Amino acid sequence: MTAVRSLGEPILSMDSISLSFGGVKALTDISLHVRKHEILAIIGPNGAGKSSLLNVINGVYHPSSGSVTYKGATRSQMRPHEAASQGIARTFQNIALFKGMTVLDNIMTGRTLKMHAGFFWQCIYVGKARDEEIRHRRKVEEIIDFLQIESIRKTPVGRLPYGLQKRVELGRALAAEPELLLLDEPMAGMNIEEKEDMSRFILDINDEFGTTIVLIEHDMGVVMDLSDRVVVLDYGRKIGDGTPDEIRGNQEVIDAYLGVAH
Amino acid sequence: MFYREAGQFKTSYAADQAVFPIAQDRIFIGIWLLIGFVAIPLLSNEYLFRAIFIPFLIMALAALGLNLLVGYCGQVSLGTGAFMAVGAYAAYNFWIRIPGLNPLIAFALAGGVATVVGILFGIPSLRIKGFYLAVATLAAQFFIDWVFSRIGWFTNYTPSGSIAVPPVSVFGFEFDTPLRKYFLCLTILVLFAVIAKNLVRGRIGRSWMATRDMDVAAEIIGIRPMYAKLSAFAVSSFFIGVAGALWGFIHLGSWEPLAFDVNRSFSILFMVIIGGLGSILGAFLGAAFITVLPLILNQMPQWLGIQLSTAMISHIEFMIFGALIVFFLAVEPQGLARLWRIAKEKLRLWPFPY
Ligand SMILES: Nc1ncnc2c1ncn2[C@@H]1O[C@H](COP(=O)(O)OP(=O)(O)O)[C@@H](O)[C@H]1O
Ligand SMILES: [Mg+2]
């Protein structure tokens, strides 16, 4: 399937990004490109800096040096809500849903930036505010259908099992209709069936909506199946970057990661 | 009657987005409106209006406001009394300084002043959370207490520092009897409750709850924590400010700074906790509970034919509140409202729980 889609020019480029916490160097001199419409997998042992890399992309962490170019604009740092308004959405390694809210409300929050009814209209909930709620609700219902979570839409997410929570979190990110979707270990802790479902969702999102996806994943089978390209991190450095086949044959990568029992 | 969703198929998202999508809930609200607007006025006497219903309505308004902040947005505040004081003194100053001003407009303006003060004292919430924020709002409480008792301008230099206002009159209609005061407070409360409900089921309410549940994730979605927190402080303070103005003008008629001291802050926070954090219904239940409990405790010894000193009764009151607070905080943070919801869920399935 990878051959069918044509990949565009870079939507995101990182240039010599370094990031450290106190003495710990989380990222050292990382440069990479993410091309439009591709699925890029980031792999590497625990603590390699994968999550930190995503956090730099959407502005949670500010790199100590280097720059990020996204959709043509170069910045040394970005604030998270700026990233959101620029079309970057993400999920977290440790689920970061709004526990006290229902599935529906969680996904509705993903539409926040697209809603504009003023405070007064929201107070009286007629006219603009109500129309807007209904319009966005319709969109959210499409996502709910897509992720096949119709039956739990009114359930508070805190009560859902882990696998479903991951799915809801994906739904919340999708609700923003992102151009760039960052997924931090979307399949961690899932059984095979759940992983298959999640893989299918990821491929469909990429295929149907043309969304560019950067995903962190440990399961090499999944990585090889899903991704157009793989970047390998080890101790905060980039040690590999290429197609799944190239990565499979890269000796340094094999030593650092694939060779180690995982 | 059964509490059921069955047979009530929602054919559009509009219907499902309605305030109370389940018919029985609408009936429930309708019944309470009937009780509030018809039954109580017909059956109640002046004493009950003064001692229970009017204070209940105003406290419910304040609890509603505080619940938006604490329950929905997750920002603790121990400054409710102070924000009520701001409302009361602001209304007083508008009223004496602008001759002929419609009192209802004075109340609204007072709410506006409380909003501004609330936003100001909400600014620390952008940096600090939980315990530290509670301490900061407590400092606001003491500061505002001090301002109203020490700066004569606010009390129009009355020698005793206490303020007295005549009955409120709107377009020549005097709100001088308890019944009329009751209707005024009830109408305002219903109006504000509708606004609160509308806000919490829309975008702004979701942004409050998101900030409460996980502020980092909220920001990544594009919710600005600053906007969410300060708007919660603003709306909450508006409600509380209006409640303060009503408490002064309608319930008390004359008051001193002590009427809005830190005990007031605590008692309203207790209402919110006991009633249920993050629930509109909870604000009502909590306010009812805390308004009525002292009266029942006062009567109880008589009914039981035992002698208890007033001091003893107030000690018992404190002990009961203390125990309940601990219970609700530790076991059931969603308070009485949650117990009500559980009852409803049971009812929905009854008589076949599986
Ligand atoms: N907020 C933080 N504070 C301090 N150290 C951090 C923080 N986030 C990540 N690190 C450190 O940066 C390194 C990379 O972590 P991370 O990006 O989470 O790795 P990965 O996702 O690849 O497992 C680790 O050594 C981790 O301890
Ligand atoms: Mg990680």
Side-chain angles (χ1 to χ4, degrees), chain B residues 322-340:
Chain B
L324 283 170
I325 298 287
V326 171
F327 170 78
F328 280 117
L329 278 182
V331 183
E332 191 51 88
Q334 294 173 19
L336 294 170
R338 165 91 179 132
L339 301 182
W340 166 246

Side-chain angles (χ1 to χ4, degrees), chain A residues 40-96:
Chain A
L40 172 69
I42 299 178
I43 64 171
N46 274 325
K50 305 181 298 297
S51 297
S52 300
L53 189 75
L54 293 196
N55 281 325
V56 167
I57 295 177
N58 78 333
V60 178
Y61 292 164
H62 297 165
S64 44
S65 65
S67 62
V68 179
T69 304
Y70 175 67
K71 290 204 286 186
T74 303
R75 299 180 183 77
S76 60
Q77 53 174 258
M78 218 181 328
R79 297 196 53 77
H81 66 258
E82 270 180 279
S85 62
Q86 295 286 311
I88 304 179
R90 75 172 287 183
T91 66
F92 291 82
Q93 184 170 351
N94 309 307
I95 299 168

Side-chain angles (χ1 to χ4, degrees), chain B residues 68-318:
Chain B
L68 294 180
L69 182 65
V70 182
Y72 284 94
C73 195
Q75 309 299 306
V76 190
S77 168
L78 291 176
T80 315
F83 296 134
M84 285 182 78
V86 170
Y89 284 97
Y92 174 71
N93 279 287
F94 283 120
W95 178 71
I96 54 167
R97 291 172 208 282
I98 307 176
L101 179 68
N102 183 325
L104 295 184
I105 293 179
F107 295 167
L109 289 173
V113 174
T115 303
V116 173
V117 176
I119 291 175
L120 230 61
F121 284 104
I123 289 174
S125 72
L126 305 181
R127 288 263 130 158
I128 54 179
K129 291 181 194 178
F131 174 73
Y132 297 97
L133 181 60
V135 173
T137 55
L138 193 60
Q141 170 78 43
F142 289 128
F143 174 73
I144 290 172
D145 278 355
W146 177 86
V147 165
F148 289 129
S149 54
R150 289 306 153 93
I151 301 181
W153 186 83
F154 289 110
T155 50
N156 203 24
Y157 302 101
T158 47
S160 61
S162 80
I163 278 175
V165 289
V168 166
S169 144
V170 179
F171 301 124
F173 185 85
E174 297 256 338
F175 288 96
D176 49 358
T177 66
L179 180 67
R180 289 173 175 187
K181 291 178 176 179
Y182 169 84
F183 270 120
L184 179 65
C185 293
L186 180 62
T187 309
I188 292 177
L189 177 64
V190 169
L191 189 74
F192 276 68
V194 170
I195 291 175
K197 182 78 190 172
N198 285 343
L199 287 177
V200 301
R201 69 200 172 112
R203 167 166 60 97
I204 199 168
R206 286 191 299 267
S207 77
W208 291 341
M209 292 185 275
T211 306
R212 170 196 70 192
D213 285 350
M214 179 85 52
D215 49 1
V216 182
E219 195 170 1
I220 275 152
I221 283 167
I223 294 168
R224 287 162 192 260
M226 182 176 90
Y227 177 78
K229 288 177 185 174
L230 293 186
S231 66
F233 267 98
V235 175
S236 156
S237 306
F238 186 85
F239 278 51
I240 293 168
V242 171
L246 290 175
W247 191 253
F249 275 68
I250 307 292
H251 179 54
L252 298 176
S254 69
W255 73 91
E256 352 184 329
L258 219 57
F260 302 106
D261 67 0
V262 69
N263 288 325
R264 181 69 59 207
S265 297
F266 277 115
S267 108
I268 295 168
L269 186 61
F270 292 168
M271 290 176 196
V272 171
I273 293 171
I274 290 177
L277 288 163
S279 152
I280 304 268
L281 176 67
F284 288 82
L285 296 176
F289 189 83
I290 292 206
T291 319
V292 172
L293 183 67
L295 292 165
I296 292 180
L297 284 179
N298 268 315
Q299 299 297 319
M300 192 78 91
Q302 270 182 22
W303 297 335
L304 299 176
I306 38 174
Q307 290 285 330
L308 280 180
S309 69
T310 10
M312 189 62 181
I313 290 174
S314 81
H315 287 159
I316 293 178
E317 194 183 319
F318 273 120

